[in-house]
Amino acid sequence: MSDLLLLAGVALCVLSVILAVVQLLQTQPPRAAALALIAGIFLLFVGAWTNPQPFGPDTIPQAMRAVTGGTVTP
């Protein structure tokens, strides 16, 4: 469960950057981007909190391997 939360958090944070660029190009305030970033950070914290192992930079590829059941190519 923590792996899914970590990956969802990372996906929302990446999506928030894309949303911010699109909304700023359209001269709109990036409200959706801010909400996506806050939700992504929240999911990252919850995922790291529920994981019994320490959270580090190598946790995200390990979570991807655990969810997909395969290997991750960089």
Side-chain angles (χ1 to χ4, degrees):
M1 180 67 177
S2 64
D3 294 336
L4 290 174
L5 290 171
L6 289 174
L7 292 177
V10 169
L12 277 175
C13 288
V14 169
L15 181 66
S16 73
V17 172
I18 296 168
L19 284 172
V21 170
V22 168
Q23 287 179 332
L24 288 174
L25 287 175
Q26 295 176 350
T27 64
Q28 297 175 351
R31 293 183 187 120
L35 289 175
L37 181 65
I38 291 170
I41 291 172
F42 176 75
L43 288 177
L44 282 172
F45 276 117
V46 171
W49 183 61
T50 59
N51 194 1
Q53 299 174 351
F55 185 70
D58 61 336
T59 307
I60 302 301
Q62 289 175 359
M64 182 67 94
R65 274 188 230 107
V67 170
T68 61
T71 60
V72 178
T73 56

